[in-house]
């Protein structure tokens, strides 16, 4: 016997005074390689927009904004010589420094090696339109050794403006940013930003300086979009190293002696530990 479909129940009448619900602006992500609405993605993905980035902090470290993304744990050890420790559902939790097991991208340009190890120091959060996060097994779309994907999408210039920002914080933190947005003729738009960040640190031998420059030239056509980006990073950082349990109990703000510079030539067990990071990177992406 063939079952007959049940008749649909009549819809409840809508009161004439009820106003239509406000339509939320759709969030579009590109983490799968193709643009689609975040609500329609069949995998675990998240997005932090420009307002979320600005409200999270001074836009220095990615840990400020990713704290609200489920499944992502970002440990900021306030040590700019070792960068952030990011793990996605466990991937990257065993990294002693830097990011391992998670793919990093800026405007589609890879920022990590084949094994998923990299750093996020050159992420220009102040010039980002959004930061996309892909978690779970679908990150295999980006290759092996990938437990997740973090992708920064830079913002195009939509209006002509000159912006100057500054930040002051504890432990000698100071930051100055200068940005220029210039929509050009013929569908072109230019966005340039230069920032200088300095911090003394809460421990001896923990100061850092970061100079970050980003230039984005975009072109929007009827069916094509071309984006050329150029960024440069210069970050000398001192490394106070870790403490033993006994040292931490005695004074958590101290620095182990081997990390300090030599007070005089020939003093043993003083290594002035530090790391200098310098990178210049450019790329072009074309979407048809």
């Amino acid at each position: 016997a063939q079952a007959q479909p049940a008749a649909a129940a009549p819809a409840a009448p809508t009161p004439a005074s009820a106003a239509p619900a406000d339509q939320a602006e759709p969030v579009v992500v590109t983490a799968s390689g193709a643009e689609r609405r975040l609500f329609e993605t069949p995998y675990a993905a998240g997005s932090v927009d420009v307002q979320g980035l600005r409200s999270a902090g001074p836009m220095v470290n990615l840990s400020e904004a990713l704290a609200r993304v489920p499944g992502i744990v970002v440990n900021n050890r306030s040590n700019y010589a070792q960068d952030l420790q990011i793990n996605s559902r466990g991937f990257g939790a065993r990294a002693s420094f830097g990011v391992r097991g998670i793919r990093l991208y800026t405007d589609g340009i890879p920022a990590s090696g084949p094994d998923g190890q990299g750093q996020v120091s050159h992420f220009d959060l102040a010039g980002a339109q959004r930061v996309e996060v892909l978690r779970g097994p679908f990150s295999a779309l980006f290759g092996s050794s990938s437990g997740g994907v973090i992708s920064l999408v830079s913002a195009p210039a939509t209006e002509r403006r000159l912006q100057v920002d500054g930040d002051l914080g504890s432990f000698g933190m100071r930051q100055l940013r200068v940005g220029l947005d210039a929509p050009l003729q013929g569908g072109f738009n230019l966005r340039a930003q230069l920032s200088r960040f300095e911090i003394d640190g809460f421990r001896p031998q923990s100061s850092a300086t970061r100079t970050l420059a980003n230039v984005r030239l975009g072109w929007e056509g009827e069916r094509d979009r071309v984006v050329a980006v150029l960024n440069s990073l210069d970050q000398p950082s001192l490394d106070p190293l870790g403490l033993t349990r006994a040292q931490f109990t005695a004074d958590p703000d101290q620095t182990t002696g081997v990390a300090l510079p030599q007070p005089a030539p020939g003093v043993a067990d003083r290594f002035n530990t530090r790391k200098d990071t310098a990178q210049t990177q450019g790329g072009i992406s074309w979407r048809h």
Side-chain angles (χ1 to χ4, degrees), residues 17 27 41-42 50-51 64 71 84 90 130 151 167 184 196 201 208 224 253 257 259 267 269 273 279 287:
S17 60
V27 178
T41 57
V50 61
Q51 296 299 328
E64 304 165 3
L84 304 177
R130 64 183 183 274
S151 175
D167 297 288
L184 306 175
R196 173 79 172 185
D224 297 88
D253 294 339
V267 178
D269 299 330
T273 54
Q279 173 179 288
R287 183 178 294 272

Side-chain angles (χ1 to χ4, degrees), residues 107 154 216-220 225-229 283-287:
D107 287 306
S154 60
R216 181 191 189 276
L217 178 63
W219 177 78
E220 294 275 352
R225 182 174 65 220
V226 181
V227 176
V229 293
I284 298 177
S285 63
W286 172 27
R287 183 178 294 272

Side-chain angles (χ1 to χ4, degrees), residues 24-254:
E25 183 178 354
V27 178
V28 179
V29 296
T30 59
S32 64
E35 292 186 351
R36 63 174 63 188
R37 293 176 57 190
L38 180 62
F39 183 75
E40 298 173 349
T41 57
Y43 40 76
S47 177
V48 182
D49 59 9
V50 61
Q51 296 299 328
L53 293 172
R54 292 187 180 277
S55 62
M59 292 180 290
V60 175
N61 299 305
L62 196 60
S63 57
E64 304 165 3
L66 292 189
R68 65 186 64 189
V69 179
I72 297 292
V73 177
V74 186
N75 295 322
N76 181 5
R77 294 165 288 191
S78 300
N79 187 341
Y80 292 89
Q82 297 186 14
D83 207 23
L84 304 177
Q85 184 192 58
I86 305 177
N87 73 79
S88 172
R89 295 184 173 180
F91 284 87
R94 300 181 64 183
S96 57
F97 61 91
V99 182
R100 180 183 291 272
I102 300 176
R103 299 283 180 162
L104 307 173
Y105 290 87
T106 56
D107 287 306
I109 302 175
S112 54
D115 64 344
Q117 182 172 356
Q119 287 185 292
V120 294
S121 303
H122 68 291
F123 274 30
D124 183 18
L125 302 180
Q129 185 181 51
R130 64 183 183 274
V131 175
E132 301 177 3
V133 181
L134 176 63
R135 314 178 302 275
F138 270 92
S139 58
L141 294 170
F142 291 83
S144 62
S145 302
S146 175
V149 178
I150 299 176
S151 175
L152 181 143
V153 181
S154 60
T158 57
E159 58 180 358
R160 188 177 299 273
R161 65 177 178 177
L162 175 65
Q163 185 173 357
V164 179
D165 296 326
D167 297 288
L168 292 174
S170 57
F171 306 111
M173 192 276 280
R174 51 208 179 270
Q175 179 176 223
L176 178 65
R177 291 190 301 267
V178 179
L180 172 66
D181 291 6
L184 306 175
Q185 297 180 352
F188 288 91
N189 64 86
L190 176 66
R191 182 184 182 97
Q193 185 143 321
L194 176 65
S195 65
R196 173 79 172 185
F197 167 78
E198 298 178 357
I199 189 170
D200 297 334
F202 71 97
R203 298 168 59 194
Q205 193 74 4
S206 62
S207 63
T209 301
R210 178 188 298 173
T211 303
L212 180 62
N214 279 274
V215 178
R216 181 191 189 276
L217 178 63
W219 177 78
E220 294 275 352
E222 182 179 352
R223 300 182 60 186
D224 297 88
R225 182 174 65 220
V226 181
V227 176
V229 293
L230 176 65
N231 63 72
S232 178
L233 168 72
D234 181 44
Q235 179 176 299
S237 309
L238 299 180
D239 190 352
L241 300 180
L243 299 175
T244 65
R245 181 62 185 179
Q247 291 173 328
F248 182 83
T249 303
D251 182 8
D253 294 339
Q254 68 172 311

